[in-house]
Amino acid sequence: MSRVQGAIDKSQVLMLYRNLLKAGNKFADYNFREYAVRITKEDFRNNQNDTDGKAVEKNYQYGLDQLQLMRRQSTINQMYAQKMSFMDPRVSDDIRKKDEMSVGSRTNEEDDEH
Amino acid sequence: MMKRLITPLTRVTLRSLYSTAQVQSKVVQFTEPRAPEVYKNSESSTKAIYFDLGATTPVDPRVLDRMLPLYTDMYGNPHSRTHEYGWNSEAQVEEARRHVADLIGCTSKEIVFTSGATESNNTAIKGVARFYKKKKNHIITTQTEHKCVLDSCRHLEDEGFTITYLPVKQNGLIDLDLLEQEITDKTLLVSVMAVNNEIGVLQPLKDIGQLCRKRGVLFHTDAAQAVGKIPVNVDDMCIDLLSISGHKLYGPKGIGALYVRKNKPRVRLAPIINGGGQEGGRRSGTVPSPLVVGLGEACRVAKQDLERDAKYVKELSKYMIEGFRSRLDHVILNGDEEQRYPGIVNISFAYVEGESLLMALNTVALSSGSACTSASLEPSYVLRALGVSEDLAHTSLRFGIGRFTTKKEVDYVLDKCSFEVERLREMSPLYEMVKEGIDLSEVKWEHH
Ligand SMILES: Cc1ncc(COP(=O)(O)O)c(C=O)c1O
């Protein structure tokens, strides 16, 4: 990364990057988690050669706001999470096999309510 | 009598879901107490991979983050004029209106909030028809529109309007020459959807818009599946009315918008919901400020990320289509190859019953058509309008790809679906004959 001018230095940017990834990884939902990590990496990669102090400052501020948002939303996401996605890497192979076998969750004859 | 089929996921059972290597990871710590249970008839421990984005999209966390304060704190009625509760809500609603307007290139005054694309379509079609009925009484639409457009038109037939239901070509697109031929001096409105919800084809909006403008006919488009995913500009495309749905672009359900052109031409409509005169008298009823703010934020995010999302969805879509084609023979992509929104992929897996395939794919959330028609076993009217045979129409599945879809999910669905297709084909006598080189169209069947 080239030298950042203005008030924001490289270590602050790196810290923000790490914190964003950490917050993104706290989503209970597999898809939100993967998305948060993907776009954080993408954004930082795209902006890593920014030398314009104003732009760096603006992006830094944007990143800080996103960090707050991700912390709030990942907390809420955890509070209401009920099941993990089948694709979630934290789901064991055994559970995955079992779920692939389980059929009949679409039609349930014992339930006469609709 | 109702058997409880699910054990609530406690910390302990959740732990047991983790593969051993990751047990120690502190990535997720579900907080006690548990939230209210939402799964009713579920036997699986995990939730299926979501590939039904044409039916609805998840609410983006950025959207929920903007909505929550309006539920927990700023609950004022945006029409209250005498206190801060109302003023704040109103300010939020107006900011949201600007975001919606910015996304499609119009002014705030031209946006009417509704309960969804269904209401927007009803308001646009019935509202315009009833307002101008003394002058003109002919409406042109297509056979592949969403049910809410077709049904609105049917009701107008009862009111004495003449409706032309244009056929589409085999690729799902309309024939512009045919459209031009159908326009008469009695034609008031042309309503053609942007992106088809079942097959994803994108109609030539700009050509249609220019034709309508030239002939002095209003142009409405149901852009529920397009807005926020592909660039839409009402001026470039000569659009006079346009319908938006919140829950198709990562916003909340129960909210939508209708764009109504104010200038050149000024479009007037007779409201279908009457009351307190909100939304400039075009749609009465208290504006649901949390939902509106959600829609606004969804539009803001969509505009900001349009390029990124479009590129990502396009790549995954290409990967999926090529993946199926390389793994299986006799797979047919329904609708035009190029003129499409790539996030809706409708594929026929010949010689396989779509319903059986859906059953086998229980770890993937999918549909065999649009959400509203999949309850019936009738083949999709959209596919039939393309001239897809009934047999083939029964073998089709619709895959939705969006900003939250991962490549790993596509890999899984490619492998799993291909495996199940092959398994089901092994049991199919028809497929057996095809493999032996018998041309099924030449076969004379005993009965029919
Ligand atoms: C093309 C199209 N139009 C209209 C609708 C209805 O939208 P809503 O659910 O917002 O009423 C849908 C969604 O089902 C759609 O895909």
Side-chain angles (χ1 to χ4, degrees):
Chain A
M1 196 193 281
S2 44
R3 201 158 46 84
V4 177
Q5 294 165 1
I8 314 301
D9 66 37
K10 192 175 155 181
S11 67
Q12 283 172 294
V13 173
L14 267 178
M15 181 71 93
L16 175 63
Y17 179 64
R18 280 203 209 99
N19 283 334
L20 279 166
L21 289 182
K22 205 165 130 195
N25 267 313
K26 286 206 165 123
F27 277 101
D29 183 276
Y30 160 77
N31 295 86
F32 291 161
R33 202 164 63 228
E34 293 281 314
Y35 175 79
V37 170
R38 172 167 71 85
I39 65 160
T40 301
K41 287 185 176 167
E42 238 174 69
D43 283 346
F44 277 78
R45 200 181 317 119
N46 290 342
N47 296 330
Q48 67 181 342
N49 294 325
D50 267 3
T51 46
D52 174 10
K54 276 261 163 19
V56 172
E57 211 173 302
K58 189 165 154 266
N59 286 332
Y60 187 74
Q61 189 52 51
Y62 174 77
L64 286 180
D65 293 343
Q66 289 299 106
L67 179 60
Q68 295 304 321
L69 186 153
M70 278 215 249
R71 284 180 173 161
R72 287 191 295 273
Q73 286 303 311
S74 58
T75 305
I76 289 168
N77 193 250
Q78 284 181 29
M79 285 197 292
Y80 290 90
Q82 316 232 331
K83 283 185 180 183
M84 283 195 230
S85 164
F86 179 81
M87 211 71 242
D88 198 312
R90 296 167 309 177
V91 174
S92 72
D93 287 347
D94 287 350
I95 295 287
R96 226 175 255 147
K97 283 226 175 59
K98 195 176 128 273
D99 277 357
E100 280 190 320
M101 294 303 179
S102 91
V103 275
S105 47
R106 273 164 219 278
T107 49
N108 182 4
E109 279 134 37
E110 278 173 89
D111 184 6
D112 46 13
E113 278 175 289
H114 237 68
Chain B
M1 142 126 175
M2 220 175 82
K3 212 171 84 188
R4 199 161 162 74
L5 291 167
I6 22 150
T7 33
L9 284 185
T10 62
R11 242 206 181 108
V12 182
T13 50
L14 274 170
R15 282 260 170 81
S16 69
L17 294 181
Y18 299 166
S19 50
T20 37
Q22 274 140 335
V23 169
Q24 281 100 334
S25 123
K26 277 184 286 199
V27 177
V28 167
Q29 286 164 351
F30 289 94
T31 345
E32 306 284 359
R34 301 292 308 150
E37 184 63 64
V38 294
Y39 289 93
K40 296 299 181 199
N41 296 312
S42 178
E43 287 179 347
S44 59
S45 319
T46 58
K47 53 181 180 182
I49 304 171
Y50 194 70
F51 269 105
D52 206 7
L53 292 149
T56 194
T57 52
V59 174
D60 192 300
R62 288 167 287 197
V63 170
L64 185 60
D65 198 63
R66 292 288 283 113
M67 291 172 68
L68 281 173
L70 282 94
Y71 282 120
T72 57
D73 191 47
M74 198 199 297
Y75 44 79
N77 182 323
H79 315 296
S80 293
R81 285 285 135 81
T82 50
H83 46 69
E84 201 178 12
Y85 291 84
W87 304 329
N88 271 334
S89 292
E90 192 196 19
Q92 299 276 336
V93 165
E94 293 315 310
E95 188 189 329
R97 202 187 298 277
R98 278 195 296 279
H99 290 321
V100 180
D102 281 350
L103 182 58
I104 59 169
C106 69
T107 62
S108 295
K109 286 206 167 93
E110 296 172 304
I111 296 294
V112 179
F113 289 116
T114 65
S115 64
T118 299
E119 190 191 321
S120 297
N121 288 336
N122 271 265
T123 306
I125 295 169
K126 293 178 186 166
V128 163
R130 288 172 188 162
F131 189 89
Y132 295 97
K133 70 175 173 222
K134 292 222 171 71
K135 288 190 201 134
K136 290 173 166 186
N137 69 348
H138 178 224
I139 291 171
I140 301 175
T141 187
T142 78
Q143 293 174 0
T144 54
E145 294 297 307
H146 191 270
K147 278 272 160 76
C148 59
V149 167
L150 295 175
D151 206 39
S152 294
C153 288
R154 295 258 182 253
H155 277 81
L156 287 176
E157 283 186 61
D158 294 343
E159 293 176 27
F161 289 89
T162 311
I163 317 281
T164 301
Y165 300 93
L166 274 188
V168 293
K169 296 181 284 189
Q170 263 194 351
N171 60 3
L173 297 173
I174 65 159
D175 181 341
L176 284 163
D177 293 335
L178 194 59
L179 172 62
E180 182 152 26
Q181 286 164 30
E182 294 292 338
I183 296 178
T184 70
D185 54 1
K186 280 285 173 198
T187 308
L188 167 61
L189 178 74
V190 167
S191 178
V192 177
M193 73 198 319
V195 169
N196 184 278
N197 49 302
E198 278 191 46
I199 56 174
V201 295
L202 170 63
Q203 300 291 353
L205 297 181
K206 190 170 182 171
D207 295 339
I208 301 169
Q210 285 173 342
L211 174 60
C212 290
R213 187 67 49 87
K214 195 177 82 192
R215 301 288 300 266
V217 177
L218 297 178
F219 174 36
H220 164 251
T221 185
D222 173 1
Q225 298 282 359
V227 166
K229 296 163 186 171
I230 55 169
V232 174
N233 184 291
V234 291
D235 286 339
D236 288 352
M237 296 171 167
C238 303
I239 295 165
D240 300 315
L241 297 123
L242 176 145
S243 303
I244 299 176
S245 173
H247 71 105
K248 309 286 184 189
L249 75 156
Y250 311 98
K253 297 169 184 60
I255 186 72
L258 176 65
Y259 157 75
V260 186
R261 181 173 287 281
K262 266 234 178 319
N263 264 316
K264 294 182 186 169
R266 174 166 185 219
V267 180
R268 313 286 300 274
L269 40 87
I272 57 170
I273 293 180
N274 310 108
Q278 290 90 346
E279 298 295 277
R282 294 169 294 188
R283 202 281 190 180
S284 288
T286 300
V287 169
S289 42
L291 300 179
V292 163
V293 165
L295 173 62
E297 182 65 4
C299 288
R300 189 195 66 76
V301 171
K303 187 174 181 201
Q304 170 196 293
D305 285 355
L306 196 78
E307 228 175 287
R308 185 209 315 258
D309 285 351
K311 183 164 167 276
Y312 183 74
V313 166
K314 191 174 175 184
E315 275 170 17
L316 279 189
S317 171
K318 187 162 167 262
Y319 182 69
M320 176 184 262
I321 295 167
E322 283 173 359
F324 275 129
R325 284 182 171 153
S326 67
R327 283 169 174 80
L328 295 166
D329 47 15
H330 307 284
V331 294
I332 298 117
L333 177 69
N334 293 306
D336 197 84
E337 286 266 341
E338 300 299 328
Q339 268 283 102
R340 62 165 52 250
Y341 164 59
I344 299 177
V345 178
N346 188 309
I347 294 184
S348 290
F349 299 94
Y351 317 113
V352 173
E353 189 64 48
E355 293 296 317
S356 318
L357 188 51
L358 273 184
M359 286 291 199
L361 295 174
N362 65 323
T363 49
V364 185
L366 266 181
S367 85
S368 53
S370 72
C372 76
T373 50
S374 58
S376 72
L377 284 175
E378 262 182 56
S380 134
Y381 67 92
V382 173
L383 292 180
R384 266 189 312 188
L386 266 65
V388 176
S389 73
E390 195 163 318
D391 288 346
L392 214 50
H394 270 302
T395 70
S396 79
L397 294 186
R398 177 185 67 170
F399 300 87
I401 298 168
R403 69 164 72 117
F404 296 113
T405 310
T406 69
K407 184 149 177 285
K408 256 177 70 184
E409 290 177 316
V410 177
D411 278 327
Y412 176 81
V413 87
L414 280 172
D415 286 344
K416 178 79 176 161
C417 189
S418 304
F419 174 82
E420 295 296 343
V421 166
E422 277 177 344
R423 190 178 63 81
L424 290 164
R425 278 179 179 173
E426 287 308 313
M427 303 192 281
S428 152
L430 283 182
Y431 188 64
E432 198 62 27
M433 290 163 79
V434 172
K435 269 205 315 200
E436 283 164 19
I438 301 170
D439 184 351
L440 291 182
S441 60
E442 308 264 287
V443 176
K444 295 214 168 48
W445 306 99
E446 294 274 299
H447 308 284
H448 214 91

Short mmCIF file of all heavy atoms in Angstrom, two decimals, chain B residues 54-55 115-119 121 146 148 193 195 197 222 224-225 245 247-248 255, ligand 1:
data_model
loop_
_atom_site.label_atom_id
_atom_site.label_comp_id
_atom_site.label_asym_id
_atom_site.label_seq_id
_atom_site.Cartn_x
_atom_site.Cartn_y
_atom_site.Cartn_z
N GLY B 54 -36.41 -15.18 -6.81
CA GLY B 54 -37.46 -14.61 -7.65
C GLY B 54 -38.74 -14.44 -6.85
O GLY B 54 -39.54 -13.54 -7.12
N ALA B 55 -38.94 -15.30 -5.86
CA ALA B 55 -40.13 -15.20 -5.01
C ALA B 55 -39.98 -14.05 -4.03
O ALA B 55 -40.87 -13.22 -3.90
CB ALA B 55 -40.36 -16.52 -4.27
N SER B 115 -48.61 -0.77 -1.39
CA SER B 115 -48.32 -1.94 -0.57
C SER B 115 -47.46 -2.97 -1.30
O SER B 115 -47.12 -4.01 -0.75
CB SER B 115 -49.63 -2.60 -0.13
OG SER B 115 -50.31 -3.09 -1.26
N GLY B 116 -47.11 -2.70 -2.54
CA GLY B 116 -46.30 -3.66 -3.28
C GLY B 116 -46.55 -3.53 -4.76
O GLY B 116 -47.37 -2.69 -5.21
N ALA B 117 -45.87 -4.36 -5.53
CA ALA B 117 -46.02 -4.26 -6.99
C ALA B 117 -47.43 -4.64 -7.43
O ALA B 117 -47.93 -4.12 -8.43
CB ALA B 117 -44.98 -5.13 -7.69
N THR B 118 -48.08 -5.54 -6.70
CA THR B 118 -49.44 -5.90 -7.05
C THR B 118 -50.33 -4.66 -7.02
O THR B 118 -51.08 -4.38 -7.97
CB THR B 118 -49.99 -6.96 -6.09
OG1 THR B 118 -49.17 -8.13 -6.19
CG2 THR B 118 -51.43 -7.32 -6.41
N GLU B 119 -50.24 -3.90 -5.94
CA GLU B 119 -51.06 -2.69 -5.86
C GLU B 119 -50.61 -1.64 -6.87
O GLU B 119 -51.45 -0.95 -7.47
CB GLU B 119 -51.01 -2.11 -4.44
CG GLU B 119 -52.04 -1.01 -4.26
CD GLU B 119 -51.85 -0.22 -2.98
OE1 GLU B 119 -51.53 -0.82 -1.94
OE2 GLU B 119 -52.04 1.01 -3.03
N ASN B 121 -49.35 -2.16 -9.80
CA ASN B 121 -49.87 -2.57 -11.11
C ASN B 121 -51.37 -2.32 -11.21
O ASN B 121 -51.86 -1.83 -12.23
CB ASN B 121 -49.56 -4.05 -11.37
CG ASN B 121 -48.08 -4.29 -11.64
OD1 ASN B 121 -47.37 -3.38 -12.07
ND2 ASN B 121 -47.63 -5.50 -11.39
N HIS B 146 -47.14 -10.85 -15.10
CA HIS B 146 -47.48 -11.39 -13.78
C HIS B 146 -49.00 -11.44 -13.66
O HIS B 146 -49.71 -10.60 -14.23
CB HIS B 146 -46.88 -10.49 -12.70
CG HIS B 146 -46.93 -11.07 -11.32
ND1 HIS B 146 -48.00 -10.86 -10.47
CD2 HIS B 146 -46.05 -11.85 -10.66
CE1 HIS B 146 -47.76 -11.50 -9.34
NE2 HIS B 146 -46.59 -12.10 -9.42
N CYS B 148 -50.99 -10.40 -11.53
CA CYS B 148 -51.71 -9.20 -11.07
C CYS B 148 -51.98 -8.22 -12.21
O CYS B 148 -52.95 -7.48 -12.17
CB CYS B 148 -50.99 -8.54 -9.90
SG CYS B 148 -49.32 -8.00 -10.21
N MET B 193 -43.98 -5.91 -18.95
CA MET B 193 -43.08 -6.03 -17.81
C MET B 193 -41.62 -5.88 -18.24
O MET B 193 -41.27 -6.12 -19.40
CB MET B 193 -43.29 -7.36 -17.10
CG MET B 193 -42.75 -8.55 -17.85
SD MET B 193 -43.42 -10.15 -17.31
CE MET B 193 -43.48 -10.03 -15.55
N VAL B 195 -38.51 -7.32 -16.42
CA VAL B 195 -37.90 -8.65 -16.32
C VAL B 195 -38.99 -9.63 -15.93
O VAL B 195 -39.73 -9.40 -14.98
CB VAL B 195 -36.78 -8.66 -15.26
CG1 VAL B 195 -36.33 -10.08 -14.96
CG2 VAL B 195 -35.59 -7.81 -15.72
N ASN B 197 -40.66 -12.66 -14.19
CA ASN B 197 -40.36 -13.29 -12.91
C ASN B 197 -40.09 -14.79 -13.00
O ASN B 197 -39.48 -15.36 -12.12
CB ASN B 197 -41.50 -13.03 -11.92
CG ASN B 197 -42.86 -13.33 -12.51
OD1 ASN B 197 -43.25 -12.77 -13.54
ND2 ASN B 197 -43.57 -14.23 -11.88
N ASP B 222 -44.06 -3.15 -15.41
CA ASP B 222 -43.94 -3.81 -14.11
C ASP B 222 -42.46 -4.16 -13.96
O ASP B 222 -41.99 -5.14 -14.54
CB ASP B 222 -44.83 -5.06 -14.10
CG ASP B 222 -44.63 -5.90 -12.85
OD1 ASP B 222 -43.81 -5.51 -11.98
OD2 ASP B 222 -45.28 -6.95 -12.74
N ALA B 224 -40.86 -4.92 -11.15
CA ALA B 224 -40.62 -5.51 -9.82
C ALA B 224 -39.32 -6.32 -9.79
O ALA B 224 -38.58 -6.27 -8.81
CB ALA B 224 -41.80 -6.39 -9.42
N GLN B 225 -39.05 -7.05 -10.85
CA GLN B 225 -37.86 -7.91 -10.86
C GLN B 225 -36.64 -7.22 -11.46
O GLN B 225 -35.58 -7.84 -11.57
CB GLN B 225 -38.14 -9.20 -11.66
CG GLN B 225 -39.24 -10.07 -11.09
CD GLN B 225 -38.80 -10.90 -9.89
OE1 GLN B 225 -37.65 -10.87 -9.48
NE2 GLN B 225 -39.72 -11.66 -9.33
N SER B 245 -41.37 -3.24 -6.30
CA SER B 245 -41.72 -4.03 -5.12
C SER B 245 -40.54 -4.06 -4.15
O SER B 245 -39.42 -4.35 -4.56
CB SER B 245 -42.08 -5.45 -5.55
OG SER B 245 -42.27 -6.26 -4.42
N HIS B 247 -39.80 -6.15 -1.64
CA HIS B 247 -39.20 -7.42 -1.24
C HIS B 247 -38.49 -8.16 -2.36
O HIS B 247 -38.06 -9.29 -2.18
CB HIS B 247 -40.24 -8.32 -0.55
CG HIS B 247 -41.29 -8.89 -1.45
ND1 HIS B 247 -41.28 -10.21 -1.84
CD2 HIS B 247 -42.36 -8.34 -2.04
CE1 HIS B 247 -42.33 -10.44 -2.63
NE2 HIS B 247 -42.99 -9.32 -2.76
N LYS B 248 -38.38 -7.53 -3.52
CA LYS B 248 -37.59 -8.15 -4.58
C LYS B 248 -36.20 -7.52 -4.65
O LYS B 248 -35.37 -7.97 -5.42
CB LYS B 248 -38.28 -7.97 -5.94
CG LYS B 248 -39.72 -8.38 -6.00
CD LYS B 248 -39.90 -9.87 -6.00
CE LYS B 248 -41.39 -10.19 -6.16
NZ LYS B 248 -41.68 -11.59 -5.98
N ILE B 255 -44.46 -3.39 0.91
CA ILE B 255 -44.22 -2.01 0.47
C ILE B 255 -43.78 -2.03 -1.00
O ILE B 255 -43.09 -2.95 -1.43
CB ILE B 255 -43.16 -1.30 1.34
CG1 ILE B 255 -43.02 0.17 0.97
CG2 ILE B 255 -41.81 -2.00 1.25
CD1 ILE B 255 -44.17 1.05 1.39
C1 LIG C 1 -43.01 -9.30 -12.03
C2 LIG C 1 -43.75 -9.21 -10.75
N1 LIG C 1 -44.78 -8.36 -10.62
C3 LIG C 1 -45.46 -8.24 -9.46
C4 LIG C 1 -45.16 -9.00 -8.36
C5 LIG C 1 -45.95 -8.83 -7.10
O1 LIG C 1 -45.25 -8.03 -6.21
P1 LIG C 1 -45.75 -7.80 -4.71
O2 LIG C 1 -45.47 -9.07 -4.00
O3 LIG C 1 -44.89 -6.67 -4.24
O4 LIG C 1 -47.18 -7.44 -4.74
C6 LIG C 1 -44.10 -9.90 -8.46
C7 LIG C 1 -43.75 -10.77 -7.33
O5 LIG C 1 -44.33 -11.78 -7.05
C8 LIG C 1 -43.39 -10.00 -9.67
O6 LIG C 1 -42.38 -10.87 -9.78
#
